[in-house]
Amino acid sequence: MPTPTRSVALVTLGCARNDVDSEELAGRLADAGWTLVDDADGADVAVVNTCGFVEQAKKDSIDTVLAAADLKEAGRTKAVVAVGCMAERYGKDLAESLPEADAVLGFDSYADLSSHLEAILHGEKRESHVPRDRRTLLPLAPAERQAARAVSIAEPDLPEGLAPASGPRVVRRRLGSGPWAPVKIAAGCDRRCSFCAIPAFRGSFVSRPADEVLAETRWLAEQGVKEVFLVSENTTSYGKDLGDLRALEALLPQVAAVEGIERVRVSYLQPAEVRPGLLDALTATPGVVPYFDLSFQHSAPNVLRRMRRFGSTDAFLALLEQVRERFPTAGVRSNVIVGFPGETEDDVEELCSFLERARLDVVGVFGYSDEDGTEAATLDGKLPDDVVAARLDRVSRLVEELVAQRAEERLGEVVEVLVESVVDEDGDPHVVGRAAHQGPDVDGETELELPPGVDVAVGDLVRARVTGVAGADLLAAPLVETEPRTRTTVGA
């Protein structure tokens, strides 16, 4: 008898890399005959792609699994399966503490997820994932990793596959219809930051060859995507396992030249690895936005060394000066951690001084908490929770003020806005998009004040002048009164 049609909903939490993983899973499931639906309450199986980065992300992941499990009581949903970073990181322990989930599956299950879901619907019990250090799955030397990766693509059913965390690249199915999409150019990380567990469950760094990246970008352009967001755990390492440390500089103009792609954005740059050639490529390549997602984490040398990171206040300010010498209005965002073990009041003062001088567009501020299996969890000098909370509040309030000031500096600036939504509100169109310095989801947005008679559509690029600000958000008036431009050197 033929297998009846099954439906599945993929619920994604976390970062843009998880978004790519979910769309790859969607492609595989669709190829296997599954019907993709948007909402878990309308699906036979809800697959929750979890995030395991920080405590709040873990809590959100657990809450989402529990909410999906509640649907089994009230709706048609028959099974709830947890995948993703938290499932990979905790495996059996998560399954034991979360019996509401019908299965907890790791990255090695991705290649044949359809069979796992079918078995679960037939009442079979799937063995919960057993966590392991994925860095051991690939050769230590980066130059030897591509050969191991090729084996896994040729034989995707290997039980101990050597592929990047999300498995062999097979097919992708878009789960949204917006004008931008992430493209994963690498997986894993070779850095050993003392606070971070990501390398252990995402594995060693592996670049995707340029032809794969370009093929996926062309496919996305055919789906109507106008902006691609190149993502990885550490984008500045791209190419080191391909034998070319300048591979990213060579890749950017090729991606920008794909027909239909109007903007290319790059995420997650390690300050210590930003080379002059990369600065040039990010600020002078037509179609590539001058956007710098720089992972500073702190600026006090004492704290950075305990984090096993390079840099200092002076070094970071010098890097920002190099960026702005090339492109004065470049967008810069970062994240910082306060309350790290051993952090002193003087260290906090130095961080605040750095942030005041850095003029960053957006800063994410996180209070330190121990992460399982990390070196930082074993360090001395732990600070009381109330001290961490107080420092988090102080730096967050400072950042809120500084981000608003930086936005005000853009008053009168000409920006190019990618339109992401057009909503008719009682005959008055409400148009929202992002300027070049605003990354997706987390860096604010720009609302366009359209003059009478001017129409725009999602995916258009509109040249406009900034007329108002609200925090990191901008208000801008289009400079054109006919049709918006569709290809330009951003910021020109």
Side-chain angles (χ1 to χ4, degrees), residues 28-369:
R28 293 172 186 168
L29 291 171
D31 271 5
W34 289 78
T35 299
L36 302 174
V37 298
D38 294 332
D39 299 318
D41 60 0
D44 294 308
V45 184
V47 176
V48 180
N49 189 353
T50 61
C51 177
F53 182 46
V54 294
E55 283 304 315
Q56 185 58 51
K58 298 174 195 173
K59 181 180 183 303
D60 291 344
S61 294
I62 291 173
D63 289 346
T64 302
V65 172
L66 292 174
D70 287 343
L71 298 174
K72 291 192 293 184
E73 301 293 330
R76 63 168 290 173
T77 306
K78 300 180 178 65
V80 176
V81 176
V83 298
C85 291
M86 191 175 182
E88 173 69 30
R89 185 175 179 185
Y90 294 104
K92 281 191 171 183
D93 289 343
L94 178 62
E96 291 172 1
S97 62
L98 197 62
E100 293 84 355
D102 295 279
V104 174
L105 303 177
F107 295 142
D108 291 334
S109 300
Y110 282 17
D112 197 22
L113 185 61
S114 174
S115 296
H116 290 292
L117 300 187
E118 284 284 359
I120 292 166
L121 285 178
H122 283 91
E124 297 180 25
K125 183 72 174 176
R126 297 283 94 175
E127 285 295 323
S128 296
H129 168 66
V130 178
R132 54 184 169 171
D133 189 335
R134 294 193 70 88
R135 290 171 293 190
T136 63
L137 300 182
L138 288 168
L140 183 63
E144 299 174 4
R145 292 177 191 163
Q146 289 296 319
R149 178 182 181 278
V151 169
S152 69
I153 291 174
E155 300 178 273
D157 295 327
L158 286 175
E160 300 295 328
L162 301 178
S166 58
R169 309 290 175 183
V170 179
V171 69
R172 178 174 174 178
R173 180 70 62 91
R174 292 208 74 197
L175 295 175
S177 58
W180 76 274
V183 175
K184 193 185 294 187
I185 66 171
C189 184
D190 286 343
R191 300 186 72 87
R192 294 295 181 265
C193 302
S194 63
F195 57 83
C196 184
I198 289 176
F201 61 83
R202 276 287 181 180
S204 298
F205 186 88
V206 182
S207 303
R208 292 182 71 191
D211 58 349
E212 285 188 20
V213 175
L214 292 170
E216 187 166 320
T217 301
R218 293 187 192 100
W219 178 82
L220 287 167
E222 292 170 359
Q223 312 304 307
V225 169
K226 301 298 183 182
E227 177 182 308
V228 290
F229 193 22
L230 305 184
V231 301
S232 75
E233 279 76 20
N234 180 13
T235 306
T236 40
S237 285
Y238 179 76
K240 71 177 186 178
D241 53 320
L242 299 172
D244 184 2
L245 288 176
R246 293 181 175 83
L248 184 56
E249 291 98 303
L251 177 66
L252 288 174
Q254 297 180 70
V255 175
V258 171
E259 185 176 356
I261 297 301
E262 308 293 346
R263 296 206 308 203
V264 179
R265 187 180 303 275
V266 178
S267 76
Y268 211 80
L269 308 172
Q270 287 288 345
E273 297 179 5
V274 176
R275 307 166 293 277
L278 182 55
L279 287 175
D280 293 338
L282 288 170
T283 54
T285 305
V288 175
V289 295
Y291 173 81
F292 292 82
D293 178 12
L294 293 165
S295 174
F296 289 131
Q297 304 300 347
H298 211 284
S299 72
N302 167 62
V303 178
L304 288 168
R305 300 306 172 264
R306 288 173 70 85
M307 289 179 169
R308 294 198 179 277
R309 296 180 65 83
F310 300 97
S312 65
T313 295
D314 290 342
F316 293 159
L317 290 174
L319 174 59
L320 292 173
E321 184 177 358
Q322 293 179 59
V323 169
R324 288 167 178 150
E325 282 177 352
R326 289 168 169 80
F327 209 106
T329 59
V332 186
R333 77 169 327 275
S334 191
N335 297 313
V336 297
I337 299 172
V338 296
F340 194 80
E343 181 190 62
T344 66
E345 286 291 346
D346 286 345
D347 295 328
V348 179
E349 288 292 338
E350 180 161 358
L351 174 61
C352 290
S353 175
F354 164 70
L355 292 172
E356 289 168 351
R357 299 162 66 188
R359 297 170 48 242
L360 305 178
D361 290 283
V362 175
V363 183
V365 185
F366 298 89
Y368 172 80
S369 61

